[in-house]
Amino acid sequence: MMSTMKKQGKRKVASVMAGVLASSMLLTFPAGVSDAAAKEQPEIKAKNVIMLIPDGMAQDATALARWYNGGEMLALDEMASGLVRTYSADAAIADSAPAGTAFATGYKSHTGYVGVLPDQNTMPGLKPIAPGDAKRPVANLVEAAKLSNKATGIIATSEIMHATPADFSAHYPDRSNYDALSEQQVYAGIDVVLGGGAQYFTAAGRKDGEDLTAAIHRLGYNVVTDTAGLKAASNGKVWGMFANKAMDYDMDRDPAKQPSLAEMTSKAIEILSKDQDGFFLMVEGSKVDWAAHANDPIGIISDVNAFDKAVAEALAFAKKDGNTLVIASTDHMNGGLTIGDRETSNNYDELPLSTFIDPLKKAKVTGEGIEKLLNSDRSNIVQVMSESFGITDLTADEIAAIKATKAGSMNYTVGPIISKRAHIGWTSNGHTGGDVVLYSYGPGGKQLTGLVENTDLARYMESALGLNLASVTQQLFVPAEATFAAKGATVTWDRTDERNPVMVVTKGSDTLRLPVYKNTAILNDKTINLNGTIVFNGEKTFVPQTAIDLIR
């Protein structure tokens, strides 16, 4: 059970938030929710919600994994219930940042934008963005669940500040600004954070020079760095850092150093479910997407299977618990993966399953894993490709291509090599814009059905947990400069450390200091913890209403 101190603190925050009036500068939200679809769905109420996202997973990816496994059904299969539209605010093919923002906040956004509204809505059916609302932060499900006394967690096999996990924990209109995103994550008060990206929390790995690893320890997290450490964690706040950058593909990982996605999911559920108020957990199988970008079918199979094992953990808990909603959906498809290519155009219906699967079964590592097996001058290409990829008929051009591949891109070279032999087709090294499969399981076996918007999923989870995302947005993201000015205060900036600016608000004898991306305020030298982070979106600053209320 969560500590009494934590529970009292959470309830105090909820009580304060319930009494806070929203800023007079109300946010006008754009369209992005399919009301018709929402009304047709069964009413689902749940104590807990687990959302699982296999980033970039094409429909043929699950079929390929199924056949690779001998035809056995996936854990996902019994949850298949509908389709999800994946377009963003201004593009038919979505980037992960706005696609994840739709899942997390209920609003479509612009390419590269994390947890903020777009500059404009140009896709059919979307209302224009209200003047002044461009790039404005909007509340995510983790923030709303936290303010509703629930425990929260995020998991990813990428760097934890990568687009999708950042969508559920931070706000900035540039997914590549790891400094801004990761600092918000540290001060977001999330109970369980598991994934990669350790180097981006060190002073040496950041442009702002902040030692966020020390901050994570100071904030009371049990920091774990390997599988044994994760297994030993039993309660309290846990932060897992299992790789300097992204974690390895499941097929390539050292199980002693890096836990599987299923192990991370199981441990998060174990810890979060001790909170009597319930929990919200987001789990991302990040590198399904990376394998698809590289057209690497082995990476696809590796991490679709790893993701499916995580789904099995969530589904088993939900069935036993009886009060948990599980939703799974990819944010977009990627690569245009097909079982069959142009070489099978005239004989596709005559080819046995072995044509496609046998070449893949010979691989012992992914395309990324191959690179680690090659020696410094890559003179062992033929041997490695034979022993670890099962390919014994490399052409001179293929050997030359492998030898010339730059570091970190080997899967882009060997993925297509094995795809050709297995007749796995690809149309792109980028995302694609088709509808994706919706998987759902609610209390009593209830499911969401039909064709829905990606934004609808946020609304379904919001409704199931009894949350109010719009209210939380008003509570956490008040336009600071204009609102303080309306109270007769003066706003300036302390840029003594240009990399870590501090907003300074003065009125009468009171001086309020608000360091960007943190959840603390300093009022006349007294440090006060806020119930949200201070967000600068590159143009404007937004603060929790509780920070506004410190100036009388």
Side-chain angles (χ1 to χ4, degrees):
M1 186 178 297
M2 295 285 181
S3 68
T4 301
M5 182 178 296
K6 176 187 173 185
K7 302 296 287 188
Q8 290 175 341
K10 288 169 70 180
R11 290 194 171 94
K12 182 178 180 181
V13 166
S15 177
V16 170
M17 296 312 297
V20 171
L21 293 177
S23 166
S24 59
M25 300 179 181
L26 296 178
L27 174 61
T28 302
F29 293 109
V33 181
S34 172
D35 291 331
K39 291 176 182 176
E40 295 170 0
Q41 300 299 332
E43 182 181 15
I44 297 176
K45 297 298 180 184
K47 179 180 177 181
N48 316 302
V49 168
I50 304 171
M51 183 172 198
L52 303 107
I53 304 170
D55 199 298
M57 186 178 75
Q59 292 182 27
D60 273 31
T62 50
L64 185 64
R66 209 178 288 117
W67 287 126
Y68 181 91
N69 298 341
E72 295 181 6
M73 299 292 282
L74 301 174
L76 277 168
D77 292 337
E78 71 171 277
M79 295 170 57
S81 61
L83 295 171
V84 181
R85 304 182 74 187
T86 61
Y87 64 94
S88 58
D90 55 356
I93 301 177
D95 161 52
S96 288
T101 293
F103 285 161
T105 72
Y107 295 99
K108 293 180 182 290
S109 196
H110 174 72
T111 294
Y113 285 17
V114 171
V116 300
L117 296 178
D119 300 296
Q120 55 183 338
N121 282 327
T122 61
M123 288 296 286
L126 299 181
K127 295 179 181 179
I129 298 294
D133 282 351
K135 300 181 184 178
R136 186 164 183 173
V138 282
N140 60 55
L141 288 159
V142 167
E143 291 163 334
K146 179 175 178 288
L147 291 185
S148 188
N149 292 333
K150 293 182 180 294
T152 56
I154 58 172
I155 300 173
T157 53
S158 64
E159 301 91 344
I160 200 65
M161 67 293 298
H162 210 258
T164 304
D167 284 322
F168 286 81
S169 52
H171 309 269
Y172 197 80
D174 181 358
R175 59 178 287 180
S176 66
N177 191 340
Y178 273 17
D179 278 11
L181 299 174
S182 58
E183 187 167 4
Q184 290 177 67
Q185 290 177 318
V186 168
Y187 291 99
I190 304 169
D191 297 292
V192 176
V193 181
L194 306 175
Q199 75 176 48
Y200 300 105
F201 294 101
T202 66
R206 302 176 58 81
K207 294 178 182 178
D208 63 14
E210 292 211 38
D211 185 354
L212 290 184
T213 304
I216 291 169
H217 283 281
R218 188 172 64 252
L219 290 168
Y221 284 94
N222 174 14
V223 178
V224 297
T225 57
D226 57 21
T227 305
L230 181 64
K231 289 181 178 179
S234 58
N235 52 47
K237 298 198 298 184
V238 178
W239 198 299
M241 299 184 184
F242 304 114
N244 278 331
K245 293 186 177 180
M247 297 174 66
D248 293 332
Y249 284 99
D250 193 68
M251 187 178 285
D252 302 336
R253 71 182 173 88
D254 180 339
K257 295 180 179 179
Q258 295 184 3
S260 68
L261 189 62
E263 289 173 319
M264 290 192 285
T265 301
S266 176
K267 178 56 68 171
I269 292 172
E270 174 192 328
I271 294 172
L272 298 177
S273 61
K274 294 178 181 179
D275 192 316
Q276 293 181 343
D277 295 314
F279 66 87
F280 175 85
L281 172 64
M282 189 286 297
V283 179
E284 185 193 34
S286 315
K287 292 180 70 169
V288 176
D289 178 71
W290 298 18
H293 275 297
N295 293 177
D296 176 9
I298 304 303
I300 291 282
I301 292 166
S302 162
D303 280 29
V304 168
N305 276 332
F307 177 80
D308 194 60
K309 291 182 176 68
V311 170
E313 293 289 340
L315 192 54
F317 171 81
K319 289 181 176 179
K320 182 179 179 180
D321 173 70
N323 203 6
T324 298
L325 170 62
V326 179
I327 291 181
S329 175
T330 186
D331 47 354
H332 53 75
M333 290 194 284
N334 188 352
L337 169 65
T338 57
I339 300 174
D341 59 9
R342 292 200 176 275
E343 296 301 316
T344 67
S345 295
N346 297 321
N347 63 345
Y348 54 83
D349 56 344
E350 299 171 358
L351 299 173
L353 178 63
S354 59
T355 302
F356 309 102
I357 299 303
D358 284 2
L360 304 177
K361 296 287 282 188
K362 295 176 183 178
K364 299 177 182 176
V365 294
T366 71
E368 186 178 281
I370 284 288
E371 186 169 345
K372 299 176 182 178
L373 300 175
L374 296 172
N375 54 29
S376 58
D377 63 359
R378 296 185 178 174
S379 59
N380 62 338
I381 290 173
V382 172
Q383 177 186 352
V384 168
M385 291 297 288
S386 174
E387 293 177 354
S388 297
F389 239 45
I391 294 177
T392 59
D393 59 346
L394 286 173
T395 67
D397 286 345
E398 288 171 337
I399 293 172
I402 293 171
K403 192 175 184 67
T405 299
K406 65 179 182 179
S409 298
M410 190 59 66
N411 50 348
Y412 281 82
T413 299
V414 302
I417 288 175
I418 198 169
S419 292
K420 179 180 180 180
R421 287 160 174 78
H423 295 291
I424 301 300
W426 303 90
T427 64
S428 173
N429 288 112
H431 298 178
T432 56
D435 302 330
V436 300
V437 178
L438 167 64
Y439 303 91
S440 62
Y441 176 89
K446 292 181 180 178
Q447 291 186 296
L448 307 174
T449 60
L451 175 65
V452 303
E453 298 281 350
N454 50 11
T455 50
D456 288 329
L457 299 189
R459 302 302 176 185
Y460 298 143
M461 292 184 281
E462 172 190 27
S463 175
L465 291 174
L467 306 177
N468 188 324
L469 286 168
S471 173
V472 175
T473 293
Q474 298 297 345
Q475 294 171 20
L476 295 187
F477 304 114
V478 181
E481 290 93 341
T483 307
F484 280 125
K487 299 186 78 167
T490 300
V491 176
T492 58
W493 285 90
D494 179 353
R495 300 187 184 275
T496 304
D497 181 352
E498 188 64 35
R499 300 173 303 176
N500 295 286
V502 178
M503 174 179 278
V504 181
V505 184
T506 57
K507 183 179 180 183
S509 60
D510 288 332
T511 299
L512 179 66
R513 296 175 61 81
L514 300 168
V516 170
Y517 305 133
K518 293 182 172 62
N519 67 340
T520 53
I522 302 96
L523 179 63
N524 302 328
D525 298 324
K526 178 182 179 182
T527 299
I528 300 167
N529 289 326
L530 303 173
N531 53 6
T533 55
I534 298 153
V535 176
F536 175 64
N537 71 353
E539 299 172 3
K540 299 177 181 178
T541 307
F542 299 84
V543 301
Q545 181 68 38
T546 47
I548 298 293
D549 292 343
L550 293 174
I551 294 294
R552 303 297 180 181

